Amino acid sequence: MDTLNVAFKPPFPFLQYHVMNQEGYFEELAPTIEATNFANEGLTIVSAYSDGDVDLAFMGITPAIKMKSKGVPGKVTAANHKNGFVVFAHKDFAALWDEHGADAFQKFREEKGRKFKFSTFPKGSVAFILLQYWLREELGVSPDLVDVEPMAGGSPVKRSLLSGNVDGTVIMEPIPTALEARGAPFERITWAGSFMSGQPGGIMFMHDRLWNENPDLAESVVAQHTRATETIQKQPAVAAKAVSKAKGDKLPTEIARKALNSKASNYISDPAGITESTQLFVKQMEELGQIDSGVSTDTIFEQSLYDTIAE
């Protein structure tokens, strides 16, 4: 295999890619790496993959589920992180939440005369599905009490919060840390790990042809991914520098480093860490009409590559 085509996006859920890239781990693989940044391109990473142009994709679990529901070749061969999102709300609502829990949404409507408004990522995103699960399954909050406005990425979500156009969001690092550093009037009211243990997020999705035709290379890719995870866990300053360089002026290294201290920064490689909770996402996507029918764990995940290199 002369060229390995890699698709990625810059955010924190794909931190292993940035470490692998910045620390030269990709260079230890035999093929030339052709990497494409799909930042601000919506879910077109799925289109590129489905067209056969991508061998390896760093993406969210929800587009991977969608692709597998349509029979697209490939599987999740490594997780990137788990429990990686927080519910972030205006401090006034946070006070209601502390006192009333799920009933805070009713209290908010009584006090404000309107629904609570969330902004979040697009309808096909991990954040959107997680928010729906939290509201519907965990809290049982009536749709009459909440509006959800999907937006095209982290920057629009952040602007919506700072402008006061919305009351809260479900978001991953480093956005909560960055907003806290600016003194924005928002607080973390809960964390995904408290209501969905092993909540899936970013993953590494590998085309079938990679392990069918180049099994040694496929194992090497997973090994380098695992190496990157160990770097994140043991040398967070190195990881912070890598993602800051990828994001440019939007993410100072000191903010990235602080965000890695968050309990929403849980980086792993073993796919087994997210397989059970992924089925909760499958169920939500089916109920929301985003996929036609359920998708089995074996259809989504290929565990054997990680198990081989972990021996």
Side-chain angles (χ1 to χ4, degrees):
M1 193 170 188
D2 297 325
T3 303
L4 183 68
N5 290 296
V6 181
F8 73 96
K9 290 185 178 182
F12 257 48
F14 316 112
L15 186 50
Q16 281 92 342
Y17 167 81
H18 302 302
V19 172
M20 292 167 75
N21 184 45
Q22 297 294 333
E23 294 302 297
Y25 299 173
F26 277 122
E27 295 173 8
E28 298 185 23
L29 303 174
T32 299
I33 305 299
E34 292 288 345
T36 303
N37 184 348
F38 282 83
N40 302 318
E41 297 294 331
L43 295 179
T44 55
I45 193 170
V46 172
S47 297
Y49 186 97
S50 299
D51 289 341
D53 298 332
V54 175
D55 301 303
L56 195 68
F58 289 81
M59 61 198 305
I61 189 65
T62 49
I65 292 169
K66 282 187 175 181
M67 288 199 297
K68 293 313 300 178
S69 73
K70 297 178 179 179
V72 174
K75 289 187 180 181
V76 176
T77 53
N80 290 348
H81 74 157
K82 64 179 181 179
N83 303 333
F85 285 76
V86 300
V87 182
F88 206 51
H90 193 278
K91 63 181 183 180
D92 292 344
F93 180 81
L96 291 175
W97 175 264
D98 288 342
E99 184 176 356
H100 302 286
D103 292 336
F105 291 99
Q106 177 65 43
K107 295 293 184 181
F108 180 90
R109 180 156 189 167
E110 292 172 0
E111 291 184 5
K112 302 289 186 179
R114 63 175 177 83
K115 296 180 181 182
F116 186 97
K117 188 173 184 179
F118 282 104
S119 61
T120 190
F121 283 31
K123 288 185 177 181
S125 68
V126 174
F128 181 86
I129 299 299
L130 183 62
L131 174 56
Q132 295 295 327
Y133 175 87
W134 182 62
L135 292 172
R136 290 153 46 104
E137 306 295 334
E138 181 71 12
L139 302 182
V141 172
S142 169
D144 295 337
L145 299 176
V146 177
D147 277 331
V148 178
E149 182 177 357
M151 295 185 171
S155 293
V157 169
K158 186 163 60 175
R159 288 195 296 269
S160 71
L161 292 167
L162 292 173
S163 66
N165 290 330
V166 300
D167 308 297
T169 187
V170 170
I171 202 76
M172 71 285 190
E173 291 290 359
I175 292 175
T177 296
L179 290 174
E180 288 163 348
R182 295 178 59 170
F186 291 86
E187 297 179 12
R188 304 169 193 234
I189 65 170
T190 191
W191 162 64
S194 69
F195 60 86
M196 184 189 287
S197 179
Q199 172 256 310
I203 50 91
M204 185 172 73
F205 196 78
M206 184 182 292
H207 201 287
D208 290 349
R209 62 173 172 255
L210 189 52
W211 73 71
N212 285 337
E213 300 173 12
N214 299 273
D216 291 343
L217 174 59
E219 288 180 13
S220 295
V221 169
V222 175
Q224 296 295 1
H225 185 285
T226 302
R227 180 184 177 190
T229 298
E230 292 173 352
T231 298
I232 296 166
Q233 294 170 345
K234 297 177 181 179
Q235 302 178 66
V238 172
K241 184 177 179 181
V243 71
S244 180
K245 186 172 182 179
K247 295 281 285 184
D249 294 338
K250 294 181 179 180
L251 180 60
T253 303
E254 59 269 22
I255 295 295
R257 179 65 187 86
K258 188 174 182 180
L260 285 173
N261 288 333
S262 165
K263 62 182 179 181
S265 293
N266 300 282
Y267 291 90
I268 62 173
S269 286
D270 187 354
I274 62 169
T275 51
E276 184 175 346
S277 55
T278 292
Q279 281 303 314
L280 297 177
F281 270 61
V282 170
K283 181 180 177 182
Q284 288 296 303
M285 293 173 71
E286 186 177 2
E287 291 179 356
L288 292 167
Q290 297 192 352
I291 57 176
D292 293 333
S293 61
V295 187
S296 71
T297 295
D298 289 343
T299 300
I300 300 169
F301 291 93
E302 178 56 55
Q303 181 71 33
S304 64
L305 295 173
Y306 178 84
D307 288 346
T308 297
I309 62 100
E311 290 178 352

